[in-house]
Amino acid sequence: MSDIQRAPKGTFDRLPPDSAAYLAARDALVAPLLTAGYGYVETPVFEETAVFSRGVGESTDVVSKEMYTFDDRGGRSLTLRPEFTAGVMRAFIEHRLYAGPLPAKLWTVGSAFRYERPQAGRYRHFTQVSVEALGVDDPALDAELVALADAGFRGLGLTDYDLQLTSLGDATCRPQYRELLVQFLAGLDLDEDTRRRAAINPLRVLDDKRPEVQAQLADAPLMVDHLSEGTRAHYDAVRQHLSDLGVTWVEAPRLVRGLDYYTKTTFEFVHRGLGAQASIGGGGRYDGLSAALGGPDLSGIGYAVGVDRTILAAQAEGLDIPVTGGTDVFVVHLGEEAKRFAVRLVGQLRAAGVATDTVYGGRGLKGAMKAADRSGAARVVVVGERDLAGGVAQVKTMATGEQVAVPLGELAESLRASV
């Protein structure tokens, strides 16, 4: 098979019938947002590169190693989005949503792209549900976001995961903590790449997954132990609101996540059944992101959930994602006149909101009934020339095998009422 006949490395195709489970998982993750006042937003798949380099952070692996960046024909540097928040914030600024009611509650879903080493649960093309609440700094809003993400997972039946929670401080306490961390890191045996990263953002070193680095970080100072009075009060309030909402969490003082813009509340959902790629979603507050992109100095909080990882988590727990929709009625026709009748009947039923399909390509009865069985339809209508002459069609209930003759004039209404 040639390269033009296969998807690029690290990407995939979604095909039926498995794609139905993807749609169901996506919709379950979105469902809590529709009850909480969040509106759908759509941004371009690519942005000016600076949107991500400034917003996500130069020290991150996302910006330094993983972005798909290219020059267009006008010489502009563009990048396929590696995440959604920076692009949504750009839209928030460009369209002056900050001048309207706040917080601006927004959600989106779609593909993002990162040049990573493909492995189980990690792709170069992946799908996220991304949620943002912009313009208001309120610990109750932080708790709402966390609870909505949790509700999405619970709605799918997931239970075998932990919500990890911490605070990364803000401009009032981060500088002092940074000095402590820089002093600590200066005494470690780190390679040059890690030291360069530490010079830009020393907190990123805490996110290093290499065992030899983690072993040296055992006694590293932690941000949560050096919060200012205000950020401590904010974090305490977030935890109180989460308790009031019935959301449980574990303290994760070393949680950094992979993006530079996080401040204050930071969280991650980690599934116990996924091995190395255990994160199924996460986010946090990003109080400086709007200003970094040239907008007003307003706060924001958001999260992203990986739809693909969530499906893997459901599989790890042995859960069947409930799939809605599908075919209700399948019409099998035998003969040209019966085919004309079948086409009209299918049109009538679809117009009445009944999911209906029929057979194409001149198959015989045996092949047509196989197609009907594969469709999963609850009822199969069989109509031939003799049936038309007799003014009836045969309706078979697939679950029981029962078959009855229904007058043609009553057929459409009878099938509609049975759905």
Side-chain angles (χ1 to χ4, degrees), residues 89-142:
M89 183 63 84
R90 188 271 310 151
F92 172 79
I93 296 167
E94 178 179 349
H95 300 285
R96 297 178 58 83
L97 298 186
Y98 53 81
L102 297 176
K105 292 183 168 185
L106 307 170
W107 71 272
T108 189
V109 61
S111 294
F113 309 88
R114 297 184 189 178
Y115 190 86
E116 298 185 289
R117 184 170 62 87
Q119 53 189 292
R122 186 183 289 273
Y123 311 102
R124 293 175 176 176
H125 149 227
F126 52 94
T127 304
Q128 289 185 338
V129 173
S130 187
V131 184
E132 322 293 341
L134 308 176
V136 172
D137 184 358
D138 186 333
L141 188 60
D142 296 24

Side-chain angles (χ1 to χ4, degrees), residues 13 32 111 113 127 148 156 252 256 288 294 299 352 358 370 375 385 395:
D13 300 307
S111 294
F113 309 88
T127 304
L148 288 172
L156 283 168
V256 176
S299 185
T358 189
K370 283 184 177 180
S375 76
E385 304 298 335
V395 178

Side-chain angles (χ1 to χ4, degrees), residues 288-301:
L289 180 57
S290 177
L293 294 177
D297 190 11
L298 291 174
S299 185
I301 184 169

Side-chain angles (χ1 to χ4, degrees), residues 15 30 40 42 62 107 112 124 131 169 199 202 237 265 285 301 304 312 319 347 376 388-389 417:
L15 304 172
V30 167
Y40 179 71
E42 190 165 318
V62 171
W107 71 272
R124 293 175 176 176
V131 184
T265 306
R285 182 161 285 283
I301 184 169
L312 291 176
L319 300 173
L388 290 179

Side-chain angles (χ1 to χ4, degrees), residues 7-156:
K9 184 178 181 180
T11 68
F12 53 85
D13 300 307
R14 266 188 236 285
L15 304 172
D18 295 339
S19 54
Y22 158 76
L23 292 174
R26 181 198 66 184
D27 292 346
L29 294 171
V30 167
L33 309 173
L34 305 183
T35 68
Y38 287 75
Y40 179 71
V41 61
E42 190 165 318
T43 60
V45 173
F46 57 86
E47 299 269 3
E48 294 282 347
T49 298
V51 170
F52 301 116
S53 60
R54 291 184 194 173
V56 175
E58 296 282 4
S59 73
T60 64
D61 285 347
V62 171
V63 171
S64 64
K65 300 178 182 179
E66 298 170 2
M67 295 202 311
Y68 281 92
T69 297
F70 59 96
D71 289 341
D72 70 3
R73 295 188 178 186
R76 290 172 290 265
S77 179
L78 302 176
T79 295
L80 296 179
R81 63 186 177 209
E83 56 94 58
F84 284 86
T85 298
V88 172
M89 183 63 84
R90 188 271 310 151
F92 172 79
I93 296 167
E94 178 179 349
H95 300 285
R96 297 178 58 83
L97 298 186
Y98 53 81
L102 297 176
K105 292 183 168 185
L106 307 170
W107 71 272
T108 189
V109 61
S111 294
F113 309 88
R114 297 184 189 178
Y115 190 86
E116 298 185 289
R117 184 170 62 87
Q119 53 189 292
R122 186 183 289 273
Y123 311 102
R124 293 175 176 176
H125 149 227
F126 52 94
T127 304
Q128 289 185 338
V129 173
S130 187
V131 184
E132 322 293 341
L134 308 176
V136 172
D137 184 358
D138 186 333
L141 188 60
D142 296 24
E144 174 181 282
L145 264 288
V146 176
L148 288 172
D150 188 64
F153 295 133
R154 298 290 175 189
L156 283 168

Side-chain angles (χ1 to χ4, degrees), residues 236-289:
D236 289 344
V238 170
R239 290 181 289 186
Q240 182 61 64
H241 290 308
L242 287 175
S243 294
D244 294 340
L245 290 168
V247 177
T248 59
W249 72 92
V250 295
E251 295 287 346
R254 293 181 178 275
L255 178 62
V256 176
R257 293 186 52 77
L259 309 175
D260 276 359
Y261 49 58
Y262 288 119
T263 59
K264 294 182 181 172
T265 306
T266 306
F267 58 96
E268 188 163 78
F269 292 90
V270 178
H271 197 274
R272 304 184 195 104
L274 293 186
Q277 307 304 325
S279 175
I280 53 176
R285 182 161 285 283
Y286 38 83
D287 289 352
L289 180 57

